[in-house]
């Protein structure tokens, strides 16, 4: 009987493999060395002065690139100094990692006067408007938090119930508010059989193999100029080249669990159901156990990176880069790059440019270089993040067609891939916190809550009134993001942008096509810095910054 069921299982897997475009153990592209059609490394640096590097963008990628450059520049007797200038068009550091005080008249300004006591008890800390959480496996961020003396907050929300909603019914309900890692808590739900365990062990082996990239063995083999090679080396090529539902089925995760719950995880993390996202997107969405965030905002990590790098920071609209022109080199001299800002102020000539923003969103004209043709157009998920200040302690049961006395969850994840005819109107809803009375009093009597919602459309006032109850919505703050790439399966090597599209031009956000998180942008920045140092000085780091044993901060 046991042999028979094994045979049936094997037959099922074989059948599934045959249906896939590429069997999961076979890559859709052939790996060829580390080369691409992009520009080469150029000749080694021969001048006495330190190379001038322009970093465009001060988010996770750009800020960490500047920091890693300064880290290597400080190593004694190695001659790896660089002279770094950062261009950031926003008036703050952090990019998609930023915070908001939705209860204030000016939600984007820090209400605390400069230099105010950090322990001021009247100060209400902000909430994350963009990238919210990271996990213990995110070694660069975890090291930064401890090295820079920042504090962590568990990312959760108010006490209450968590549930997944498919537009017609709760597919899952659990007592307790778990925040991002709720699906990892699912253990004994008989409907799903062993699927939660299978999914968890799949996530664990993916995380374990990803963690290798910080090790001396991995880093000392040299930097990658091709994301296809990187994903193969970290065992991510197979999940990256298949839709998540196909991949998970092949790996033995049941369809019910995948469509009801894993889909809710990919929806809240990447605004995309498992039928339209690649396997890496789904696996990363599930790897959320122990999610935390930095007290006062994750962007504080990136402010620290820049502050400690000693790099020049050009901030604000006048620092928006308009064009980058390649000045050809010779066989003995490296190419240079002329960076111009929209204001005409603060541009300059650089020996390398690190582009740390999604190229097609920057409005930058790249001139005299094949780079624009080598960076594939990448669609991003349009995501609405809405903060609601309400005196309703939960959403209204009537919105969900439930009897008035129903005990309602205050953390709801939408799942869009069940057979239900009606689909949820939002991706997620989370009661973040109750406002202190001193602030709540601005809106009226009673307790006011801050609720964060994700959706693919703007939420109409009428809809919010029905969801929270007429007259219960005191304030709404909305932010529209081009949040992360639409992560369709990677079908060929050319789906990835090159990491070095031309001599002296490096592209951090090439990594986002594989996965988009704060941590992986710092991983990509480390790889870019490692590639740059190799191109200029023939230097290869012996290990990652996360594993660097230097007591350095
Ligand atoms: C709502 C939301 C939720 C998310 N949740 C999470 C999460 O929980 N955990 C997680 O790890 N990740 C999350 N992410 C993804 C994460 O935010 C990104 O992967 C990461 O922050 C990208 O960092 P980056 O530095 O590559 O790009 P960005 O943060 O986009 O930084 C690029 C910077 O370049 C600047 N720039 C652009 N053009 C120019 C120009 N021409 N001149 C000068 N400057 C320019 C921009 O102003 C920007 O500051 C989330 C994203 C969003 C939007």
């Amino acid at each position: 009987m046991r042999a028979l069921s094994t045979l049936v299982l094997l037959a099922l897997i074989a059948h599934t493999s045959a249906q896939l475009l590429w069997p999961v153990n076979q890559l859709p592209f052939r790996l060829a060395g580390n080369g691409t059609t992009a520009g080469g490394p150029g000749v080694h640096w021969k001048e006495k002065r330190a190379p001038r590097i322009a970093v465009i963008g001060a988010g996770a990628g750009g800020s960490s690139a500047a920091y890693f450059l300064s880290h290597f520049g400080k190593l004694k007797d190695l001659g790896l100094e660089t002279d770094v200038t950062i261009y950031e068009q926003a008036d703050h550091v952090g990019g998609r990692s930023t915070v908001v005080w939705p209860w204030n008249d000016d939600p984007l300004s820090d209400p605390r006067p400069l230099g105010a006591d950090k322990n001021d008890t009247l100060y209400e800390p902000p909430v994350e408007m963009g990238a919210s959480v990271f996990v213990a496996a995110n070694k660069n961020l975890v090291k930064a938090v401890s090295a820079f003396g920042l504090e962590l907050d568990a990312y959760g929300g108010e006490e209450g119930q968590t549930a997944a909603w498919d537009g017609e019914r709760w597919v899952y309900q659990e007592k307790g508010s778990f925040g991002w890692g709720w699906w990892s808590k699912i253990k004994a739900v008989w409907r799903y059989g062993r699927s939660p365990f299978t999914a968890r062990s799949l996530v664990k082996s993916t995380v374990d193999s990803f963690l290798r990239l910080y090790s001396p063995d991995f880093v000392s083999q040299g930097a990658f100029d091709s994301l296809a090679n990187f994903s193969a080396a970290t065992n991510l090529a197979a999940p990256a080249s298949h839709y998540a539902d196909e991949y998970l089925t092949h790996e033995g995760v049941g369809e019910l669990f995948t469509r009801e719950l894993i889909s809710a995880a990919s929806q809240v993390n990447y605004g995309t159901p498992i039928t339209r996202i690649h396997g890496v997107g789904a696996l990363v969405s599930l790897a959320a156990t122990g999610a935390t965030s930095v007290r006062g905002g994750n962007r504080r990590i990136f402010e620290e990176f820049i502050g400690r790098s000693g790099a020049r920071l050009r901030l604000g609209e006048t620092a928006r880069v308009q064009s980058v022109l390649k000045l050809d080199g010779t066989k003995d001299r490296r190419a240079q790059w002329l960076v111009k800002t929209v204001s005409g102020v603060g541009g300059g000539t650089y020996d390398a440019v690190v582009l740390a923003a999604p190229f097609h969103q920057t409005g930058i004209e790249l001139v005299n270089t094949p780079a624009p043709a080598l960076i594939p157009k990448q669609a991003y998920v349009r995501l609405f993040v809405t903060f609601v200040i309400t005196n309703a302690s939960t959403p209204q049961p009537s919105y969900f067609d439930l009897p008035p006395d129903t005990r309602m969850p205050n953390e709801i994840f939408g799942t869009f891939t069940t057979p239900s005819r009606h689909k949820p109107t939002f991706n997620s809803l989370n009661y973040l916190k109750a406002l202190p009375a001193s602030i709540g009093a601005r809106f009226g009597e009673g307790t006011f809550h801050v609720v964060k919602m994700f959706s693919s459309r703007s939420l109409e006032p009428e809809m919010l009134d029905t969801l929270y109850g007429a007259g219960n919505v005191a304030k709404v703050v909305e932010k529209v993001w081009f949040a992360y790439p639409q992560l369709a399966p990677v079908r060929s090597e050319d789906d990835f942008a090159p990491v070095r599209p031309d001599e002296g031009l490096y592209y951090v956000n090439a990594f986002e096509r594989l996965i988009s998180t704060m941590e992986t942008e710092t991983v990509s920045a480390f790889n870019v810095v490692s590639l740059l140092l190799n191109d200029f000085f023939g230097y290869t780091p012996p290990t990652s910054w996360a594993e660097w044993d230097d007591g350095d901060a």
Side-chain angles (χ1 to χ4, degrees):
M1 178 65 197
R2 207 167 129 208
L4 183 66
S5 56
T6 310
L7 273 178
V8 171
L9 192 66
L10 283 174
L12 266 177
I13 291 176
H15 176 67
T16 317
S17 293
Q19 286 183 326
L20 298 177
L21 224 42
W22 291 282
V24 288
N25 56 358
Q26 185 187 317
L27 303 180
F29 30 75
R30 281 176 51 241
L31 301 180
N34 230 8
T36 67
T37 50
V43 292
H44 281 174
W45 186 247
K46 297 192 184 87
E47 313 214 8
K48 291 251 163 7
R49 66 177 174 83
R52 281 192 286 266
I53 319 280
V55 174
I56 303 175
S63 64
S64 59
Y67 182 80
F68 296 142
L69 283 166
S70 80
H71 165 80
F72 288 109
K74 285 179 198 153
L75 297 180
K76 279 212 171 50
D77 304 328
L78 290 181
L80 303 176
E81 291 86 3
T82 47
D83 176 5
V84 179
T85 303
I86 304 168
Y87 292 87
E88 171 52 61
Q89 66 183 6
D91 59 4
H92 59 268
V93 162
R96 275 169 276 169
S97 174
T98 189
V99 292
V100 62
W101 290 260
W103 49 87
N104 281 351
D105 289 344
D106 181 357
L108 296 180
S109 299
D110 190 338
R112 186 170 50 193
L114 273 181
D117 181 359
K118 280 195 175 137
N119 299 319
D120 177 1
T121 48
L122 295 176
Y123 173 72
E124 185 57 23
V127 289
E128 297 287 355
M129 182 157 72
S132 307
V133 293
F134 56 96
V135 294
N138 294 165
K139 289 193 159 203
N140 285 337
L141 299 182
V142 168
K143 175 169 177 180
V145 166
S146 85
F148 304 159
L150 301 172
E151 288 171 85
L152 289 177
D153 274 333
Y155 192 89
E158 292 185 34
E159 279 303 306
Q161 275 194 19
T162 300
W165 170 250
D166 79 349
E168 288 177 358
R169 68 189 176 97
W170 304 118
V171 296
Y172 178 76
Q173 262 185 305
E174 177 85 59
K175 204 157 166 243
S177 185
F178 297 126
W180 248 235
W182 63 275
W183 37 85
S184 64
K185 309 272 191 319
I186 298 166
K187 290 191 181 79
V189 180
W190 64 268
R191 273 157 55 70
Y192 300 132
R194 289 205 50 78
S195 287
F197 299 95
T198 312
R200 251 202 314 279
S201 75
L202 198 56
V203 170
K204 184 175 179 317
S205 62
T206 307
V207 169
D208 287 348
S209 109
F210 189 77
L211 285 176
R212 282 186 44 244
L213 72 84
Y214 300 97
S215 71
D217 278 356
F218 192 93
V219 177
S220 62
Q221 283 180 39
F224 288 86
D225 63 3
S226 147
L227 259 304
N229 288 354
F230 177 88
S231 55
T234 46
N235 294 336
L236 293 176
S241 59
H242 295 89
Y243 280 110
D245 54 341
E246 296 171 340
Y247 175 75
L248 292 165
T249 305
H250 183 275
E251 295 298 318
V253 181
E255 191 182 342
L256 195 64
F257 185 63
T258 302
R259 290 191 163 254
E260 289 189 348
L261 293 191
I262 299 185
S263 200
S266 69
Q267 192 74 42
V268 68
N269 274 278
Y270 288 110
T272 315
I274 31 97
T275 46
R276 287 195 278 117
I277 193 170
H278 61 45
V280 179
L283 291 169
V284 169
S285 303
L286 290 172
T289 319
T292 55
S293 55
V294 173
R295 186 165 302 163
N298 294 322
R299 73 180 187 190
R300 294 184 61 194
I301 296 178
F302 310 123
E303 291 167 350
E304 291 286 342
F305 272 147
I306 290 185
R308 289 164 190 260
S309 74
R312 231 167 274 113
L313 174 62
R314 303 204 186 289
L315 208 57
E317 181 55 25
T318 54
R320 174 144 65 90
V321 174
Q322 184 176 44
S323 65
V324 177
L325 164 73
K326 182 182 180 189
L327 307 169
D328 290 327
T330 65
K331 68 177 175 33
D332 299 319
R333 194 172 48 80
R334 298 187 60 86
Q336 288 192 309
W337 296 86
L338 182 63
V339 172
K340 281 195 178 158
T341 61
V342 278
S343 61
V345 179
T349 304
Y350 294 91
D351 303 297
V353 170
V354 174
L355 181 53
F359 170 59
H360 293 287
Q361 291 175 30
T362 60
I364 295 174
E365 196 188 354
L366 288 173
V367 188
N368 189 34
T369 162
L374 296 173
I375 302 178
K377 271 231 154 66
Q378 174 62 60
Y380 272 63
V381 173
R382 193 155 173 255
L383 183 78
F384 292 78
V385 179
T386 308
F387 295 91
V388 180
I389 309 285
T390 176
N391 57 356
S393 57
T394 63
Q396 299 296 311
S398 53
Y399 186 84
F400 302 86
D401 283 335
L402 295 167
D405 56 352
T406 309
R407 181 144 184 258
M408 290 297 292
N410 59 4
E411 185 176 38
I412 301 174
F413 297 93
T415 185
F416 290 72
T417 45
T418 67
S420 70
R421 277 184 304 117
H422 300 105
K423 298 297 174 194
T425 43
F426 53 85
N427 298 349
S428 64
L429 172 164
N430 187 8
Y431 270 66
L432 292 181
K433 61 179 172 185
L435 284 172
S438 57
I439 295 179
R442 292 177 201 165
F443 301 106
E445 280 181 19
T447 305
F448 281 81
H449 307 262
V450 183
V451 188
K452 183 178 185 180
M453 298 180 72
F454 284 178
S455 57
S456 54
R457 292 202 192 92
S458 185
L459 300 174
E460 300 290 333
E462 299 75 32
M463 177 265 181
L464 293 174
D465 262 356
T466 328
L467 182 59
Y468 295 100
N472 291 346
V473 174
K475 188 174 181 197
V476 176
V477 174
E478 179 190 86
K479 162 79 184 169
V480 190
W481 291 103
F482 286 102
Y484 9 68
Q486 289 174 6
L487 295 173
V490 176
R491 298 302 198 196
S492 94
E493 197 170 358
D494 296 337
D495 284 3
F496 287 119
V499 179
R500 187 208 300 109
D502 203 350
E503 178 191 320
L505 178 66
Y506 303 88
Y507 186 37
V508 174
N509 296 68
F511 205 100
E512 280 197 90
R513 182 66 179 82
L514 183 60
I515 201 65
S516 174
T517 69
M518 295 181 282
E519 174 71 10
T520 45
E521 288 304 282
T522 69
V523 165
S524 180
F526 186 88
N527 182 61
V528 154
V529 166
S530 171
L531 190 61
L532 185 154
L533 294 177
N534 199 269
D535 291 352
F536 277 72
F537 305 114
Y539 174 79
T540 301
T543 189
S544 63
W545 177 68
E547 304 248 310
W548 203 277
D549 181 17
D550 58 358
D552 167 53

